[in-house]
Amino acid sequence: MPNHFTETLTCPLAELATNLSDSELRETAYEILVGACRSSGVKPLTFISHSDKNSGRAPALTSTASLQRSLSSTAASNVKKALGLKSSRKRQVSGESDSERVKKAVTIGEMLRVQMRVSEQIDSRVRRALLRVAAAQLGKRIESIVLPVEMLQQLKPSDFPNQWEYEAWQRRNLKLLEAGLLLHPLLPLDKTDTAAQQLRQIIRGALEKPLETGKNNESMQALRSIALSLACRTFDGSVSESSHWADGFPLNLRLYRMLLEACFDVNDETSVIEEVDEVLELVKKTWVVLGMNQMLHDLCFLWILFNRYVVTGRVESDLLFAANNLLMEVEKDAKAMTDPDYSKIISSTLGTILGWAEKRLLAYHNYFHSDNTETMECVVSMAVLSAKIMVEDISHEYHRTRKEIDLALQDKQAPIVLHHEINSPLSIMEKVKSSKRSSKNQQNQFPFLSILAQGVSTLAFSEKAIFSPLLKRWHPLAAGVAVATLHSCYGNELKQFVSGIGDLTPDILQVLRAADKLEKDLVQIAVENSVDSEDGGKSIIREMPPYEAESVISNLVKSWITTRLDRLKEWVDRNLQQEVWDPRTNKENFAPSAVEVLRIVDEALEAFFLLPISMHAVLLSDLTTGIDRCILHYISKAKSGCGSQSTFVPSMPVLTRCSTRSKFVGVFKRKEKFQIAQGRKSQVGTTNSNGSLGISQLCCRINTLQHFRIELDVLAKRATSHVRNSESAHMDNITDGMGKAFELSTTACVEGIKQLCEITAYKIVFHDLSHVLWDGLYVGEVSSSRIEPFLQELEQYLEVISLTVHYRVRTRVITEVMKASFDGLLLVLLAGGPPRAFHLQDYETIADDFKSLCDLFWSNGDGLPADLIQKFSTTVNAILPLFHTDTDSLIEQFQYMTLETYGSSAKSKLPLPPTTGQWNPTEPNTLLRVLCYRSDETAAKFLKKTYNLPKKL
């Protein structure tokens, strides 16, 4: 073969287990062919010497009548007609004319010799040997002898030009015996068969030292005997008249391939000879030796035609058409064949053909065009037929159910042809991308997908016009599948492009519009192609997930929003870390960090509405929700670390009873507490020495949350205004929903202000002023430890609050301070511990002190409203009369309320009512505490007798 072939295929026929070369197989095949023609002929085989051949005389009878048929009388080839091959072609290969070729090969036999590249010398030797065999075997037919053994017996070193050639010839025949009888026998060998072991030893020895082949030589006689015993084995154990030395797979197929190769012109590798009918007629005479049949012949000839088309550079389409026509015959054969060896061979052969066809169809835009659609149709046909036969062949081998076969057929026909078209559009895209990479101008990167969209659209319409009508024979939705593939390919490029961009620009919008137009073109083609389908093309449309240019823009904007929100969150954390909550940093008395955070929020909203999109209203909620969470995070941090009510309220001491002789002790303790108090007076508005926040810092936090509350409302209104002025349509529902923007933050601000007001109040009363309230008020003698010191210092805190806190929340803070003061007074009266004891006459003093406390908050009408003070002083006003009630009445009232609460179980012994902290004049624990702090002998005896309460801790 010439060496310019551009492609080779792996032979699907199994490799031989011995190293027989193609030339050795070809020479063996020629020997079998000449012997088979002799055996089946009606005339005896004669031998013509070299002198006769060289004399220039017309050759005498060199074989049977079939081998001597004149070439000049050959009729038009029926085989070529059946396979669709052209019946005539010009033969001007290497300057050789038709007349010259006829002179060189006058008979079929001579032509076969030339076609099989057998020299005249070898041909002469073969015929000479076969004459001797015929004489020695008394006319036995070719299928009854072991040809290599007979050839070894009949030819001597003198029949060869030299000893080396003779030994090479002998080794070939020994390797043939090894391949046909030991390595690839028709019937499997028994491992215990001594004949096989003896044959191996003879062959091994002969390969090392040439075998003596004399007629009476013991080695030769042993070789003949063993070879015949192995070749004449049968399945039932009887001795067969036929010998099986060349009909085992794959040796027979390898030899038969060499015979079929003779159908191609030795001087024109793409041309099937005109005498193919006569050649095949002779070749089929070898079937009895090689164990071939029509089905195996069709399969082998199919491979020969197809392989020749491929390895010769695909220049002769007739070979492909012939292979396709023969494949149709193979399809009929495969349905009737159940032989496992045949199944393996056909699977391997068709698998190779299918792989080659798929490779072409994967890139059919590169291999086919409007001028060779017939070739493409043939390739598609072979792919579909190969897949179909393979499925049916496999079903024979594995006995699959018919339902499984039908499902496999659905997967192995049109999908193979059409669902793998992705490579062809990708090749076009590669050209565009390579031009993009070669461009040094970065700005040219953007429009390339616009150009690609136009190219894909052109390709789709070309597909519709040229290839889809052809492919529709196998797939009713050919155009739909093709455009779905193109749609997917461009979608992948678009996705990659989108993933690498940041902000929206006019160039990006141009690409997205081009993608949208392409998608409409592709969908239109798919819909038009699917008009007659059962589902109206829904299955194809489902394979074309929309590009959704608007969705792409939306995702880009969402990504932009995410980036902005991450930046905002980072700014919030950074500013909070630096924040000291000093109200003196600006005249509005709120934190500077709030100014920075709100500035960034405002910039984000402004930048959002400057984006070149038309979907501001739809995506605004994403931005506002994210901002809402960031501000919520700020509010949470602003509240954290400030404590709670329980942080500052002192724990209640254990209940005790008063001793009427403890006045001096009480006075001593009061003086001691007063001295301690003098040393721990708070500094209003500063951070306390224990590290807790000062009142001014708490006020700053309250102002900050109030500032956020106001500004968030402004931002929400501004965003609504932007949306109404945007290009978006159907704005009513969206702008109505804008009222809920920053809802979480606004609610958190309200709740945060409430919490901080309560914390501030309780910190002032129970922490900062504990030295004049909890540690000083009514300790010892009531008349000498009244509320005035507490009021004086409390007034200073109220002045700080009035000057610092925003006017909209100032009243709330002062109200909370008032409530905390009332709670502090009740705690002193009802849970002040042993240092405190009250007489009936102390009621007037306490009531007067409470009035002074209320007056402080009323401040002659400039403070809190009188009705608000009255509302929160209800509990104190209800409990104070208990301090004016005589002891017996208190005891009686306590017993009655306890029995009411606990029922009959309390009659034998009054239970100790638990402390709830919900003071009430009818609540047993409240009444009990009044008795505990009543400096009265009756009360002390009652508590001693009833609960055995101690006088001191």
Side-chain angles (χ1 to χ4, degrees):
M1 290 285 178
N3 59 7
H4 61 269
F5 300 150
T6 58
E7 186 175 9
T8 58
L9 296 175
T10 301
C11 181
L13 308 179
E15 294 292 335
L16 295 177
T18 186
N19 57 340
L20 282 165
S21 66
D22 283 353
S23 61
E24 290 176 322
L25 290 171
R26 188 180 298 109
E27 188 172 340
T28 302
Y30 184 73
E31 292 172 355
I32 295 172
L33 174 63
V34 175
C37 290
R38 177 202 63 79
S39 180
S40 63
V42 294
K43 295 183 179 181
L45 187 69
T46 58
F47 169 68
I48 306 299
S49 67
H50 285 290
S51 60
D52 291 334
K53 288 181 177 289
N54 296 332
S55 65
R57 291 178 295 175
L61 290 176
T62 58
S63 181
T64 64
S66 58
L67 278 173
Q68 294 196 53
R69 188 178 300 158
S70 174
L71 294 179
S72 60
S73 63
T74 303
S77 170
N78 292 324
V79 173
K80 280 196 170 186
K81 286 182 180 180
L83 296 179
L85 293 166
K86 295 176 183 178
S87 59
S88 63
R89 57 184 288 119
K90 294 182 179 180
R91 301 180 178 181
Q92 300 294 337
V93 180
S94 302
E96 184 178 58
S97 66
D98 289 342
S99 60
E100 290 173 334
R101 295 186 73 257
V102 172
K103 289 179 181 178
K104 287 187 178 180
V106 182
T107 65
I108 292 294
E110 183 67 10
M111 185 198 67
L112 271 172
R113 180 191 67 76
V114 175
Q115 287 292 106
M116 295 189 70
R117 303 181 186 86
V118 176
S119 67
E120 292 182 355
Q121 184 182 43
I122 294 176
D123 176 65
S124 175
R125 184 168 61 237
V126 169
R127 293 177 187 279
R128 187 185 315 125
L130 288 174
L131 280 173
R132 296 172 183 172
V133 171
Q137 294 295 332
L138 300 176
K140 277 190 176 181
R141 299 178 66 85
I142 187 70
E143 65 268 23
S144 300
I145 64 174
V146 180
L147 187 58
V149 173
E150 301 300 332
M151 298 293 278
L152 287 169
Q153 179 79 65
Q154 300 302 331
L155 291 180
K156 308 302 177 185
S158 59
D159 292 310
F160 293 84
N162 52 62
Q163 182 67 21
W164 179 87
E165 190 170 334
Y166 169 72
E167 292 179 1
W169 171 85
Q170 190 182 90
R171 284 195 299 270
R172 171 174 69 83
N173 282 280
L174 291 171
K175 287 190 290 185
L176 280 170
L177 289 174
E178 181 184 27
L181 298 177
L182 299 178
L183 300 177
H184 306 290
L186 178 64
L187 299 179
L189 290 172
D190 188 346
K191 292 183 179 180
T192 61
D193 192 336
T194 58
Q197 297 174 3
Q198 291 173 1
L199 181 60
R200 286 192 184 94
Q201 292 176 356
I202 293 173
I203 293 174
R204 189 178 300 113
L207 290 175
E208 295 175 357
K209 179 181 179 181
L211 183 70
E212 293 292 335
T213 58
K215 184 176 181 180
N216 299 320
N217 184 273
E218 293 182 4
S219 298
M220 191 64 210
Q221 291 299 326
L223 175 63
R224 174 186 293 277
S225 174
I226 294 171
L228 282 173
S229 67
L230 290 173
C232 295
R233 292 178 303 123
T234 60
F235 286 101
D236 57 6
S238 62
V239 179
S240 171
E241 293 183 359
S242 299
S243 63
H244 304 282
W245 67 273
D247 51 357
F249 290 102
L251 176 62
N252 58 345
L253 300 181
R254 290 283 181 172
L255 292 169
Y256 197 67
R257 175 190 175 188
M258 296 302 164
L259 296 172
L260 291 180
E261 291 284 356
C263 294
F264 290 94
D265 195 328
V266 70
N267 295 308
D268 182 1
E269 67 272 13
T270 65
S271 174
V272 176
I273 58 177
E274 292 297 323
E275 300 79 15
V276 63
D277 293 34
E278 289 82 356
V279 170
L280 290 179
E281 182 183 348
L282 296 180
V283 167
K284 289 181 180 180
K285 295 181 184 297
T286 66
W287 286 7
V288 292
V289 178
L290 300 177
M292 299 295 292
N293 54 38
Q294 186 63 47
M295 287 183 283
L296 287 171
H297 165 80
D298 290 343
L299 184 58
C300 288
F301 201 24
L302 163 65
W303 170 251
I304 296 298
L305 291 169
F306 175 75
N307 184 62
R308 184 58 64 98
Y309 168 74
V310 173
V311 299
T312 55
R314 307 183 306 278
V315 296
E316 184 52 70
S317 299
D318 275 2
L319 296 176
L320 186 66
F321 299 149
N324 184 48
N325 290 330
L326 195 53
L327 183 58
M328 296 178 188
E329 294 300 318
V330 172
E331 180 188 15
K332 298 175 185 177
D333 297 340
K335 294 178 180 178
M337 175 57 73
T338 59
D339 181 65
D341 288 328
Y342 179 82
S343 296
K344 293 178 181 178
I345 297 165
I346 193 172
S347 296
S348 177
T349 303
L350 298 186
T352 302
I353 294 174
L354 180 58
W356 178 90
E358 282 189 303
K359 183 178 179 181
R360 295 297 171 285
L361 295 174
L362 283 171
Y364 66 85
H365 280 270
N366 293 340
Y367 288 96
F368 307 107
H369 44 78
S370 59
D371 295 334
N372 67 347
T373 53
E374 290 183 357
T375 303
M376 178 182 178
E377 185 175 5
C378 187
V379 174
V380 174
S381 175
M382 293 192 72
V384 173
L385 276 175
S386 297
K388 181 180 178 183
I389 296 170
M390 285 179 68
V391 172
E392 292 181 348
D393 179 48
I394 294 172
S395 71
H396 289 309
E397 187 174 348
Y398 297 104
H399 309 288
R400 301 196 311 174
T401 64
R402 186 71 232 175
K403 180 178 180 182
E404 290 174 322
I405 296 172
D406 292 338
L407 291 174
L409 284 174
Q410 294 175 11
D411 288 338
K412 282 289 186 181
Q413 291 182 34
I416 288 178
V417 179
L418 294 177
H419 288 300
H420 297 327
E421 299 169 351
I422 190 170
N423 199 37
S424 53
L426 278 180
S427 62
I428 294 177
M429 293 182 183
E430 278 300 320
K431 296 177 184 177
V432 179
K433 288 193 285 186
S434 63
S435 63
K436 179 199 73 171
R437 286 191 292 266
S438 63
S439 175
K440 295 182 179 180
N441 187 355
Q442 188 68 17
Q443 294 180 350
N444 290 338
Q445 182 178 358
F446 292 108
F448 104 92
L449 270 185
S450 302
I451 300 171
L452 182 59
Q454 298 172 5
V456 173
S457 181
T458 302
L459 178 64
F461 284 109
S462 172
E463 180 78 26
K464 176 185 175 184
I466 299 174
F467 298 109
S468 295
L470 182 153
L471 296 172
K472 198 166 185 177
R473 171 184 167 189
W474 292 275
H475 199 307
L477 303 178
V481 173
V483 298
T485 303
L486 290 169
H487 184 276
S488 175
C489 292
Y490 185 84
N492 291 335
E493 295 298 313
L494 185 64
K495 185 185 299 183
Q496 183 179 356
F497 171 77
V498 169
S499 65
I501 59 179
D503 299 328
L504 286 174
T505 65
D507 286 332
I508 294 174
L509 291 176
Q510 177 188 348
V511 169
L512 295 176
R513 282 193 293 266
D516 186 59
K517 181 181 182 303
L518 169 63
E519 184 171 49
K520 291 177 180 177
D521 290 341
L522 297 180
V523 170
Q524 180 184 356
I525 294 175
V527 171
E528 291 175 356
N529 177 249
S530 309
V531 172
D532 299 328
S533 64
E534 294 181 359
D535 63 353
K538 293 181 180 178
S539 59
I540 294 296
I541 299 301
R542 281 196 295 268
E543 294 180 18
M544 301 171 64
Y547 297 151
E548 296 180 348
E550 290 294 318
S551 176
V552 173
I553 296 174
S554 174
N555 291 334
L556 289 173
V557 176
K558 288 180 180 179
S559 177
W560 178 92
I561 289 174
T562 300
T563 302
R564 286 281 180 157
L565 293 176
D566 290 343
R567 192 183 307 167
L568 176 60
K569 174 68 164 54
E570 182 182 344
W571 270 91
V572 168
D573 290 333
R574 185 183 305 169
N575 280 277
L576 282 172
Q577 290 175 1
Q578 299 172 356
E579 186 58 69
V580 295
W581 307 103
D582 186 356
R584 294 170 296 183
T585 54
N586 55 61
K587 61 180 181 180
E588 289 85 3
N589 297 324
F590 54 77
S593 58
V595 178
E596 286 299 310
V597 171
L598 287 169
R599 179 182 62 80
I600 299 170
V601 170
D602 186 59
E603 289 177 356
L605 284 171
E606 287 295 328
F608 172 76
F609 285 106
L610 289 176
L611 292 175
I613 59 174
S614 60
M615 54 183 69
H616 293 107
V618 178
L619 298 174
L620 179 59
S621 62
D622 290 8
L623 179 60
T624 55
T625 301
I627 293 174
D628 204 15
R629 291 195 185 98
C630 290
I631 297 177
L632 194 63
H633 173 67
Y634 181 97
I635 294 169
S636 175
K637 291 293 185 179
K639 294 189 302 179
S640 64
C642 297
S644 62
Q645 291 185 19
S646 59
T647 304
F648 303 108
V649 176
S651 57
M652 296 184 187
V654 177
L655 289 175
T656 58
R657 55 192 174 90
C658 286
S659 173
T660 55
R661 298 185 297 274
S662 62
K663 289 295 182 178
F664 179 80
V665 175
V667 172
F668 175 79
K669 286 186 177 181
R670 187 194 68 78
K671 289 182 179 180
E672 181 184 67
K673 293 293 183 181
F674 180 75
Q675 292 173 358
I676 295 173
Q678 291 298 319
R680 52 174 286 191
K681 284 188 177 182
S682 64
Q683 296 179 353
V684 180
T686 62
T687 303
N688 293 342
S689 59
N690 61 2
S692 61
L693 294 175
I695 298 304
S696 61
Q697 293 173 310
L698 290 171
C699 292
C700 180
R701 293 176 186 241
I702 294 171
N703 289 340
T704 301
L705 297 190
Q706 178 62 23
H707 181 65
F708 266 109
R709 185 180 176 186
I710 296 170
E711 290 301 316
L712 289 176
D713 183 58
V714 173
L715 289 173
K717 291 178 179 178
R718 188 182 305 164
T720 301
S721 176
H722 276 298
V723 169
R724 292 186 185 279
N725 296 331
S726 68
E727 300 177 1
S728 303
H730 310 293
M731 289 296 97
D732 293 340
N733 294 335
I734 296 174
T735 52
D736 290 344
M738 284 304 301
K740 298 181 180 180
F742 314 119
E743 184 177 20
L744 293 176
S745 298
T746 302
T747 303
C749 284
V750 173
E751 183 64 26
I753 290 172
K754 179 177 180 296
Q755 293 176 13
L756 289 174
C757 288
E758 292 175 352
I759 291 169
T760 301
Y762 272 75
K763 183 178 186 302
I764 291 174
V765 172
F766 291 100
H767 181 271
D768 294 358
L769 298 182
S770 63
H771 60 286
V772 288
L773 178 67
W774 185 248
D775 296 338
L777 183 62
Y778 303 143
V779 172
E781 293 291 339
V782 172
S783 58
S784 60
S785 55
R786 297 184 62 176
I787 203 170
E788 186 61 30
F790 173 74
L791 296 180
Q792 291 176 358
E793 295 197 24
L794 178 60
E795 186 175 12
Q796 297 178 28
Y797 280 94
L798 294 179
E799 289 178 1
V800 171
I801 292 172
S802 299
L803 294 173
T804 306
V805 177
H806 192 279
Y807 72 95
R808 290 190 179 183
V809 290
R810 189 180 302 151
T811 298
R812 173 184 286 275
V813 178
I814 295 176
T815 301
E816 291 298 331
V817 174
M818 178 183 69
K819 290 166 60 179
S821 301
F822 292 170
D823 290 345
L825 177 62
L826 288 176
L827 197 64
V828 167
L829 295 176
L830 300 176
R836 294 179 173 86
F838 302 101
H839 298 274
L840 284 175
Q841 59 270 25
D842 292 334
Y843 165 75
E844 295 295 337
T845 303
I846 296 172
D848 185 60
D849 284 350
F850 179 62
K851 182 178 181 303
S852 299
L853 180 61
C854 293
D855 288 343
L856 174 65
F857 290 101
W858 183 59
S859 188
N860 296 320
D862 294 333
L864 298 177
D867 57 344
L868 188 64
I869 297 173
Q870 181 63 35
K871 174 184 176 182
F872 291 109
S873 63
T874 303
T875 302
V876 180
N877 286 326
I879 290 176
L880 283 182
L882 294 177
F883 288 85
H884 186 55
T885 303
D886 63 88
T887 303
D888 291 334
S889 298
L890 277 177
I891 293 172
E892 183 179 346
Q893 189 175 353
F894 169 72
Q895 291 174 333
Y896 174 77
M897 294 308 302
T898 302
L899 289 173
E900 283 290 318
T901 302
Y902 296 99
S904 58
S905 61
K907 289 183 179 180
S908 58
K909 183 179 180 180
L910 291 176
L912 182 67
T915 301
T916 63
Q918 302 297 320
W919 312 128
N920 189 291
T922 61
E923 194 254 337
N925 186 264
T926 303
L927 294 169
L928 178 62
R929 286 181 174 278
V930 175
L931 287 171
C932 287
Y933 293 101
R934 175 63 58 87
S935 182
D936 181 89
E937 189 68 27
T938 304
K941 288 181 179 180
F942 172 76
L943 295 174
K944 171 67 175 176
K945 178 181 179 181
T946 306
Y947 298 114
N948 194 28
L949 293 183
K951 294 182 180 180
K952 58 182 178 180
L953 297 179

